[in-house]
Amino acid sequence: MTRFALTVEYDGRPFQGWQRQEHGPSVQGAIERAVQAVTGENATVHAAGRTDAGVHALAMRAHVDVAKPFDAFRFGQAINARLRPDPVAVLACEVVPDDWHARFSCVARHYRYRIVNRRADLTWERGLAWRVPQPLDVEAMRAAAARLVGRHDFTTFRSAHCQAASPLRTLDRLDVVRAGEAVEVFASARSFLHHQVRSMVGCLVLVGQGRWSPGDLAAALAARNRAALGLNAPPDGLWFVGADYPPVSG
């Protein structure tokens, strides 16, 4: 049995999320069908994160165990051939040790949330970003974001359906950057709660619009109550952009 690590890019718009679903297409299901077509084996594909419906990935990390011998490069290309026309692509494929796990070996996950701050409707970016027509004060958003960095109880920013055992998380990075009409929020942590990034972004937008102050966001965090959440951003602008792992020995 060989364990292959995959780096996967996908457009989340046609899918109900990463995780295999009984009702509706999933990214996991698409890759597993492709692997089965290539190998004849019913293998499970494990990912670093379980993105929601409509959320995208530039470099999701995943792994799959296969009994039949394959060259890693050719295996990745064979999966891609079977994935078409789904908007999913294996960017890289490599052999990893049997104890390497896409989810449990991961030491950091990185997300980007893309906002287009303009009055005009989105065209080609529709479903790939969140259009916010009101002017956004990025400096205020950045000041508010600093209140969330560190180890906190993020109950306020956690979905009611979150299955994590604890709401405590250490947020290593939360930056807000403007480039023209684009406002992007970058978030990094070892792990995130369900909807945590979208909930933080939604409240940062309230600050940027002047409807909340940075202090209001800090108070929402301190409330440790989902009812204190101001706004949950839509999935459109959320992108999983990378995952970090310890060096593989040997």
Side-chain angles (χ1 to χ4, degrees), residues 18-153:
W18 166 270
Q19 194 168 4
R20 192 187 313 110
Q21 305 282 329
E22 291 184 7
H23 306 289
S26 68
V27 180
Q28 182 186 27
I31 299 174
E32 288 176 348
R33 285 192 300 275
V35 169
Q36 198 279 333
V38 172
T39 66
E41 303 170 28
N42 292 317
T44 299
V45 179
H46 302 270
R50 297 177 178 177
T51 53
D52 289 334
V55 176
H56 322 288
L58 294 178
M60 175 62 73
R61 294 284 275 166
H63 80 261
V64 62
D65 295 333
V66 175
K68 187 177 294 185
F70 281 95
D71 170 79
F73 175 78
R74 292 183 181 276
F75 183 50
Q77 294 305 300
I79 295 173
N80 279 337
R82 297 291 185 169
L83 279 168
R84 300 185 185 103
D86 286 331
V88 183
V90 174
L91 305 181
C93 178
E94 59 185 315
V95 176
V96 290
D98 293 346
D99 61 354
W100 188 94
H101 197 286
R103 179 182 175 191
F104 298 119
S105 300
C106 187
V107 296
R109 294 164 173 85
H110 309 286
Y111 285 89
R112 179 189 74 187
Y113 194 100
R114 181 171 175 80
I115 298 165
V116 177
N117 189 203
R118 73 183 194 194
R119 292 182 62 86
D121 288 340
L122 299 182
T123 55
W124 64 271
E125 281 195 288
R126 186 173 298 167
L128 301 175
W130 178 22
R131 181 183 69 91
V132 177
Q134 302 85 1
L136 292 175
D137 183 340
V138 170
E139 291 303 319
M141 294 172 69
R142 191 174 293 124
R147 306 287 189 98
L148 299 180
V149 174
R151 186 164 180 80
H152 305 287
D153 181 328

Side-chain angles (χ1 to χ4, degrees), residues 5 8 16 36 44-45 56 113 116-117 126 128 161 163 166 179 182 197 200 205 209 213-214 241:
V8 183
Q16 296 299 309
Q36 198 279 333
T44 299
V45 179
H56 322 288
Y113 194 100
V116 177
N117 189 203
R126 186 173 298 167
L128 301 175
H161 303 292
Q163 298 178 353
S166 170
V197 177
M200 293 188 301
V205 165
Q209 293 171 329
S213 69
V241 296

Side-chain angles (χ1 to χ4, degrees), residues 48-52 55 103 109-111 148 150-172 187-201 220-221 224-226 229 232-233 238 240:
R50 297 177 178 177
T51 53
D52 289 334
V55 176
R103 179 182 175 191
R109 294 164 173 85
H110 309 286
Y111 285 89
L148 299 180
R151 186 164 180 80
H152 305 287
D153 181 328
F154 282 97
T155 296
T156 300
F157 302 90
R158 173 187 191 179
S159 166
H161 303 292
C162 181
Q163 298 178 353
S166 170
L168 292 174
R169 289 293 184 273
T170 300
L171 184 61
D172 297 314
S188 297
R190 186 182 186 98
S191 63
F192 290 92
L193 300 167
H194 189 203
H195 282 185
Q196 182 182 345
V197 177
R198 289 169 54 192
S199 295
M200 293 188 301
V201 169
L221 174 67
R224 292 177 290 181
N225 186 337
R226 184 68 175 177
L229 182 74
N232 194 38
L238 186 57
F240 185 102

